[in-house]
């Protein structure tokens, strides 16, 4: 399989990719390829290479994770359109498998993978860029910098996510035997609601993450630099998990 070719096709002509079925394995292989290329690299902090790596990391982090919860997202979207459709998430998934086939629980996979991958790239890369820019402007890092940087990054990231989110929802809320129509029309009609959902989410996520990780290291016996990469990853994972609870709560009303 031509991994680089697959990734290039996604970037060059993403709307075309979203119009047909893409193998989940092919998408995961693409993620694995770029993950391996990033391993054990020494990168200068806040250099162009650093921001690029953050962007690639954001794509790798967001594309497969959002794609993996598509079955639950599919049921949620359909229930938001018709609350009487299913009695529970599990009942919804079983109904879809029974009536539409197992593969249909991942309805909307291509636009989800591409859209949230691009959003993750601009969100994580942008956050680091704006955090550095704003902290240099005021001479220090603080909660205000985290909030402003995350809001700025998400504002831009959603410009890339919005058309793919629109296509995803059209796929998910069109129940067979109906066919999806006007897939690529009005792709930015939901941009403002998306901002209202995603910007608070990201502001809470990054700010709470920064403070939680800071608190964890403050309670440990050694400075961060003295821990292995695996140990630092564990701290980051724990901080991200806890932050995820807070940001999901903050964004749910707009969702």
């Amino acid at each position: 399989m031509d991994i680089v070719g697959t990734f290039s096709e996604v970037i060059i002509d993403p709307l075309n990719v979203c119009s047909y079925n893409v193998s989940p394995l092919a998408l995961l292989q693409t993620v694995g390829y770029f993950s391996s290329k990033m391993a054990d690299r020494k990168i200068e902090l806040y250099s162009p290479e650093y921001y690029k790596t953050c962007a690639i990391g954001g794509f790798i982090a967001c594309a497969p994770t959002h794609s993996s919860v598509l079955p639950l997202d599919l049921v949620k979207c359909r229930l938001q359109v018709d609350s009487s459709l299913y009695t529970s998430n599990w009942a919804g998934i079983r109904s879809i498998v029974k009536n539409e086939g197992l593969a249909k629980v991942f309805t909307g996979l291509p636009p989800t993978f591409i859209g949230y991958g691009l959003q993750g790239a601009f969100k994580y890369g942008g956050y680091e860029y704006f955090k550095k820019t704003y902290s240099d402007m005021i001479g220090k890092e603080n909660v205000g910098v985290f909030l402003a940087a995350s809001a700025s990054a998400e504002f831009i990231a959603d410009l890339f996510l919005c058309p793919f989110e629109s296509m995803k929802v059209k796929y998910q809320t069109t129940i067979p035997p109906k066919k999806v129509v006007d897939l690529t029309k009005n792709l930015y009609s939901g941009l403002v609601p998306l901002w209202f959902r995603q910007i608070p989410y990201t502001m809470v996520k990054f700010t709470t993450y920064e403070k939680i990780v800071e608190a964890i290291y403050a309670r440990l016996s050694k400075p961060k630099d003295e821990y292995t990469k695996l140990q630092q990853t564990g701290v980051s994972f724990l901080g991200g998990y806890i932050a995820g609870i807070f940001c999901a709560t903050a964004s749910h009303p707009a969702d």
Side-chain angles (χ1 to χ4, degrees):
M1 174 189 171
D2 182 3
I3 299 290
V4 177
T6 299
F7 187 79
S8 299
E9 185 178 5
V10 166
I11 298 302
I12 294 171
D13 194 4
L15 296 183
N16 184 50
V17 172
C18 290
S19 66
Y20 58 82
N21 291 325
V22 177
S23 166
L25 178 60
L27 296 177
L28 289 175
Q29 285 178 316
T30 302
V31 169
Y33 173 84
F34 284 97
S35 297
S36 66
K37 292 295 183 182
M38 294 171 61
D40 298 324
R41 295 172 61 188
K42 300 295 183 181
I43 300 172
E44 181 184 350
L45 193 63
Y46 302 126
S47 65
E49 183 73 7
Y50 173 76
Y51 295 125
K52 183 177 75 173
T53 303
C54 289
I56 295 173
F59 191 103
I60 292 171
C62 293
T65 51
H66 281 275
S67 299
S68 68
V69 296
L70 261 178
L72 291 174
D73 187 54
L74 173 61
V75 173
K76 181 203 73 172
C77 286
R78 289 185 175 181
L79 285 175
Q80 287 175 328
V81 173
D82 183 358
S83 60
S84 65
L85 202 55
Y86 312 118
T87 57
S88 67
N89 288 336
W90 178 238
I93 292 173
R94 285 189 300 174
S95 175
I96 293 166
V97 171
K98 178 181 178 181
N99 298 315
E100 303 173 38
L102 180 60
K104 291 299 182 180
V105 298
F106 285 96
T107 295
L109 175 61
T112 298
F113 188 92
I114 298 167
Y116 280 96
L118 292 174
Q119 183 224 25
F122 284 93
K123 174 162 61 178
Y124 282 85
Y127 174 69
E128 292 298 324
Y129 172 79
F130 286 116
K131 184 173 70 171
K132 170 66 172 168
T133 300
Y134 296 156
S135 61
D136 284 349
M137 288 171 60
I138 67 172
K140 61 180 179 179
E141 282 189 4
N142 57 26
V143 170
V145 167
F146 301 149
L147 290 170
S150 54
S152 300
E154 188 62 48
F155 181 89
I156 295 171
D158 288 345
L159 297 175
F160 294 88
L161 170 62
C162 190
F164 298 100
E165 180 76 356
S166 174
M167 286 187 281
K168 175 187 78 78
V169 172
K170 288 176 183 177
Y171 275 125
Q172 291 179 324
T173 56
T174 302
I175 303 175
K178 293 181 179 179
K179 301 292 185 181
V180 178
V181 295
D182 298 330
L183 180 64
T184 58
K185 289 187 177 181
N186 302 317
L187 293 179
Y188 281 94
S189 61
L191 180 59
V192 173
L194 185 65
W195 274 332
F196 274 99
R197 184 188 78 184
Q198 290 297 132
I199 290 178
Y201 173 94
T202 302
M203 292 172 71
V204 173
K205 177 170 72 174
F206 280 125
T207 303
T208 54
Y209 169 80
E210 296 275 8
K211 301 305 292 184
I212 289 168
V213 169
E214 179 183 305
I216 292 173
Y217 280 114
R219 290 178 173 271
L220 296 177
S221 58
K222 297 185 295 185
K224 175 182 176 180
D225 293 342
E226 295 184 17
Y227 289 96
T228 66
K229 287 186 177 181
L230 181 60
Q231 290 170 327
Q232 292 181 28
T233 300
V235 172
S236 296
F237 181 87
L238 178 60
Y241 184 85
I242 297 172
I245 297 173
F246 286 96
C247 62
T249 303
S251 68
H252 184 69
D255 191 36

